[in-house]
Amino acid sequence: MGRKKTCCGQPTARVWGYKKIFLIVTLVELAALIGVISYTLSEYDYPLRDDEQRSGFSLTLAMLWAVIAAIDFVLEAMLFEKRLMLSFFIVGCMLLEAYVIFDYFEGALDHWERQFRLIVVSCAVPLNIASAAYVISDMGFYSFHVVGADRRMQHAYQLASYFVSWTRLDVVIAIALVIMSAIPGLLTDLQIILTIVGLLFTVLWAALGYAFAFWEMKILMWPFLLLALVEPTFIVYQVYNISAQDFGEGIITYPTLILCGLAVGLRVLVIICMVRVNRECEGLGDIIFGYNSLDAALKVKNTGYSTFSSPAAAADDSDDD
């Protein structure tokens, strides 16, 4: 890893030493968790006939999607030093511990299975949180490597990274919300079709956000803003429909309502970040994607990041000449 580029031309960070160990161990743990959840899904009696089975199945499927998203967040955080995405992983670990504790007292599995899962997760989660927090505290070389020592551009890069991270989290929550609403029967067939179409627009919306933030395509700000208002409108409408019914029944309803509130609040936060990106990230795209060859801009090869290995530093030297 390191000194490679994405399909969009953005260089990746070096992942070595304890960071590589953290990445490998975390991916192995998440892969094992996917196996456990997949086994749980295979234990259901298909077809799902009652509401309790459908609710439990949707929660388990939503958890599987959350683990897959966690893998994406960890990879993104390590390859591009995005602190916020690794913070999402820490919050996810805390939620997993809370779920395992709840399942230990209220779950339907055998006692020894719940106890074994509680012991394993309780030992792994604190180590994951501590190691992730240490990795976050040691981040910063990548932004210096990409934008140089200019504090304004480093702030712009971090702000754009936060903006893209929030949009990615918004997409994850939107998909989880569809899983938790469609399978238990909280949505009609027409609403499910409209929601799937809305998911496609949400993915397009996140892509527009990335292009707006890092490619500085300011013209995309208005379609991004218009699409940002579509999902909260449908969520408010659906929450009203659920609230008008007897929503005390079913284990899926309250988590769905909570997730709806988080989705609306997150969309407001994304719009606020969008305004700040539009004001404070001028010139960021030229610095990140303005080099035809990253290797040509590096003056020090096969070493860690330094003042002389920054593309921005190389540009300053060429201006001095």
Side-chain angles (χ1 to χ4, degrees):
M1 299 182 186
R3 235 188 278 173
K4 298 183 182 295
K5 292 185 179 181
T6 64
C7 59
C8 299
Q10 184 175 356
T12 60
R14 296 176 184 270
V15 181
W16 53 279
Y18 70 92
K19 291 184 179 180
K20 181 179 291 186
I21 296 175
F22 167 78
L23 179 60
I24 293 175
V25 171
T26 302
L27 292 180
V28 169
E29 289 180 350
L30 293 175
L33 190 56
I34 289 178
V36 172
I37 297 175
S38 300
Y39 173 77
T40 303
L41 290 174
S42 67
E43 290 298 303
Y44 280 92
D45 295 328
Y46 299 98
L48 304 175
R49 301 186 182 278
D50 54 64
D51 293 339
E52 184 177 355
Q53 280 188 332
R54 287 195 294 268
S55 297
F57 177 82
S58 63
L59 280 176
T60 307
L61 190 61
M63 182 176 295
L64 177 62
W65 163 243
V67 175
I68 295 174
I71 294 177
D72 176 65
F73 284 169
V74 170
L75 288 173
E76 185 86 6
M78 300 303 295
L79 293 179
F80 302 103
E81 288 198 355
K82 292 184 177 180
R83 295 183 177 92
L84 193 57
M85 284 196 172
L86 209 53
S87 300
F88 295 157
F89 171 72
I90 292 177
V91 174
C93 290
M94 295 179 180
L95 293 177
L96 176 62
E97 178 68 22
Y99 170 78
V100 171
I101 293 175
F102 171 80
D103 183 70
Y104 177 76
F105 293 101
E106 302 293 337
L109 296 177
D110 293 336
H111 176 74
W112 71 269
E113 292 183 7
R114 287 178 284 150
Q115 187 175 31
F116 175 77
R117 187 160 59 181
L118 177 64
I119 293 174
V120 172
V121 172
S122 298
C123 292
V125 164
L127 295 177
N128 289 339
I129 293 176
S131 57
Y134 182 75
V135 170
I136 291 176
S137 66
D138 196 38
M139 287 183 175
F141 291 108
Y142 178 77
S143 61
F144 178 78
H145 171 69
V146 173
V147 302
D150 188 338
R151 290 186 178 182
R152 186 185 72 84
M153 296 313 302
Q154 287 191 0
H155 170 73
Y157 175 79
Q158 292 299 331
L159 182 60
S161 297
Y162 291 159
F163 171 74
V164 172
S165 298
W166 287 121
T167 57
R168 293 278 287 277
L169 180 63
D170 189 285
V171 174
V172 171
I173 291 180
I175 296 177
L177 193 58
V178 171
I179 294 174
M180 295 174 64
S181 300
I183 296 178
L186 297 179
L187 300 178
T188 64
D189 293 339
L190 178 60
Q191 288 175 334
I192 291 176
I193 295 175
L194 293 176
T195 304
I196 294 175
V197 174
L199 279 182
L200 298 178
F201 278 102
T202 301
V203 174
L204 174 62
W205 173 79
L208 291 178
Y210 179 89
F212 163 74
F214 284 107
W215 293 353
E216 293 191 72
M217 301 176 68
K218 304 297 184 182
I219 194 174
L220 297 179
M221 182 180 70
W222 296 112
F224 179 85
L225 180 60
L226 291 176
L227 287 175
L229 300 177
V230 174
E231 184 185 56
T233 303
F234 178 79
I235 288 176
V236 171
Y237 168 76
Q238 185 57 29
V239 168
Y240 173 79
N241 285 341
I242 295 176
S243 301
Q245 302 171 1
D246 185 11
F247 59 84
E249 299 180 0
I251 62 174
I252 195 66
T253 308
Y254 282 111
T256 302
L257 292 175
I258 294 173
L259 206 58
C260 286
L262 289 176
V264 174
L266 182 58
R267 190 57 64 93
V268 173
L269 180 61
V270 167
I271 293 175
I272 295 174
C273 289
M274 179 200 70
V275 175
R276 293 193 59 190
V277 168
N278 185 55
R279 292 178 178 177
E280 303 176 22
C281 294
E282 187 70 28
L284 181 62
D286 292 337
I287 292 181
I288 296 178
F289 301 103
Y291 295 93
N292 295 324
S293 175
L294 181 62
D295 290 336
L298 297 175
K299 289 189 173 181
V300 178
K301 296 185 177 180
N302 300 323
T303 60
Y305 304 128
S306 66
T307 303
F308 302 103
S309 63
S310 166
D316 291 339
D317 291 343
S318 61
D319 293 338
D320 294 338
D321 295 339

